[in-house]
Amino acid sequence: MAAQKINEAHEHIAKAEKCLKTGLTKWKPDFDSAASEYAKAAVCFKNAKQFDQAKDAYLKEAEYHTENKTLFHAAKAIEQAGMMLKEQKKMPEAIQYIEKACMMYMENGTPDTAAMALDRAGKLIEPLNLEKAVDLYQKAAGVFENEDRLRQAVELLGKASRLLVRLRRLDEATVALQKEKNMYKEIENFPMCFKKTTAQVLVHLHRGDYVAADKCVRESYSLPGYSGSEDSIAMETLLQGYDEQDEDQVHRVCSSPLLKYMDNDYAKLAISLRVPGGGAKKKKAAVAPQGGAGGAPAAAEDEDDYEGGLC
């Protein structure tokens, strides 16, 4: 089967070369037909799992589409060449080809296709290179934003924000989260604005910036429905506990379903949040009853050491 497909591929290449020949009765190469034959050859190589030869055939197809001034089809062929490199586990090279295809989509005036290709590239590279994935998601979001496609843009920004948190690039994560929140406000998705405020608070507290965390909550009171919401009450309680070094209060909020069931990267921030000074208020509370009877206070203190969990 594979050998048959390889033979078919070579037949298509021979036809393509014939299309490119010129003579007395044919003054110009037939780039369109040559591109079509190379596309068929590429599919045959791909079916035979000859991915390197398939890649070369796709690049030839792209070359002749470019000669024929059909940039969209050229870009598609280059993107397919990238996918052949992906099959060979050559991910950085694959991404380079997809990015090149995206530039051609932009040049052709089809930015939506460019943004979707960047998103696909981000998904491909994410398991191997989070930094590159962030770059691709942000570029894709930028393309959609320029086209006023804010719903698509904000979804991609969200992917980038989560990866920035995972990479512990928290300063950049705060900027990305604010941009997300502004977009959700613009499209009037206020419940998502509330969630982004919670994410901002967690990121700022991990940066040790209580003032910035408090400011995010204060600003969110201008959002319809935020005042008195479950989100605002949780954040007020969290900030109070953090400011007063009350480890138990912080733990209660951080282990509540509201935070526990956030996107995984933010849930991890909640679980690992520690109060400044190691929870001084809690320790004091445990020591206070020592005037009482027997060994009970010591046992209570031991229990408290575990009660606070990871927060």
Side-chain angles (χ1 to χ4, degrees):
M1 177 69 174
Q4 184 188 337
K5 286 291 173 190
I6 292 167
N7 287 336
E8 273 182 49
H10 286 296
E11 285 169 18
H12 287 300
I13 290 171
K15 286 178 186 174
E17 286 169 355
K18 196 178 284 186
C19 293
L20 296 168
K21 283 180 181 168
T22 56
L24 289 172
T25 56
K26 186 184 166 196
W27 292 44
K28 283 176 67 179
D30 183 354
F31 292 123
D32 186 45
S33 298
S36 176
E37 291 298 338
Y38 269 110
K40 291 171 187 172
V43 171
C44 290
F45 282 132
K46 181 177 160 185
N47 290 339
K49 301 199 183 305
Q50 301 298 305
F51 298 120
D52 203 46
Q53 287 172 284
K55 176 206 73 178
D56 290 342
Y58 278 124
L59 291 176
K60 279 289 187 186
E61 179 196 351
E63 181 187 332
Y64 297 126
H65 278 310
T66 306
E67 289 280 2
N68 208 34
K69 307 284 191 294
T70 49
L71 282 187
F72 182 84
H73 295 299
K76 275 283 179 198
I78 289 171
E79 193 181 346
Q80 282 302 312
M83 296 309 287
M84 295 306 97
L85 284 160
K86 175 235 170 189
E87 293 292 343
Q88 296 174 77
K89 308 286 189 275
K90 295 178 180 176
M91 289 306 297
E93 297 96 321
I95 299 306
Q96 282 174 10
Y97 276 114
I98 296 172
E99 284 188 283
K100 185 179 176 183
C102 291
M103 287 170 69
M104 292 179 82
Y105 287 133
M106 294 294 287
E107 198 181 332
N108 182 62
T110 46
D112 284 8
T113 311
M116 288 187 284
L118 287 167
D119 181 22
R120 284 195 294 273
K123 286 174 191 162
L124 289 177
I125 201 71
E126 192 177 314
L128 303 173
N129 186 335
L130 292 179
E131 286 90 351
K132 186 62 184 172
V134 168
D135 176 52
L136 291 164
Y137 290 142
Q138 287 179 330
K139 280 179 181 171
V143 174
F144 275 132
E145 188 181 0
N146 287 340
E147 295 300 303
D148 287 326
R149 300 273 300 276
L150 295 189
R151 282 178 175 79
Q152 289 85 351
V154 76
E155 188 182 324
L156 287 156
L157 269 181
K159 291 183 183 184
S161 301
R162 291 193 291 275
L163 295 187
L164 286 168
V165 167
R166 202 177 305 172
L167 287 162
R168 304 301 293 181
R169 284 161 56 181
L170 298 183
D171 289 353
E172 291 169 75
T174 61
V175 175
L177 278 164
Q178 186 60 48
K179 194 168 184 182
E180 272 189 83
K181 191 169 160 184
N182 292 343
M183 280 192 191
Y184 278 122
K185 187 177 177 181
E186 202 169 328
I187 60 177
E188 300 187 345
N189 186 339
F190 299 117
M192 282 305 293
C193 291
F194 304 170
K195 289 184 188 304
K196 294 305 158 187
T197 300
T198 301
Q200 283 179 305
V201 168
L202 291 169
V203 171
H204 282 309
L205 292 181
H206 270 272
R207 292 170 64 240
D209 194 341
Y210 173 87
V211 173
D214 186 63
K215 186 183 174 190
C216 284
V217 176
R218 300 283 144 261
E219 287 175 348
S220 292
Y221 279 109
S222 67
L223 297 168
Y226 189 70
S227 179
S229 67
E230 185 185 10
D231 305 77
S232 72
I233 292 165
M235 289 307 96
E236 288 287 2
T237 310
L238 177 62
L239 287 170
Q240 182 191 40
Y242 188 88
D243 190 39
E244 295 175 0
Q245 299 186 2
D246 186 337
E247 194 173 326
D248 286 337
Q249 186 163 316
V250 168
H251 173 64
R252 276 197 301 276
V253 179
C254 286
S255 57
S256 68
L258 187 71
L259 274 69
K260 195 189 289 184
Y261 298 117
M262 291 180 79
D263 285 317
N264 202 34
D265 292 297
Y266 300 122
K268 284 180 179 176
L269 285 184
I271 259 181
S272 60
L273 184 64
R274 280 156 177 76
V275 298
K281 182 170 177 180
K282 178 188 155 182
K283 286 177 183 170
K284 199 181 281 184
V287 172
Q290 279 186 347
E301 193 173 339
D302 284 347
E303 275 179 31
D304 273 352
D305 283 342
Y306 294 97
E307 204 175 271
L310 287 169
C311 290

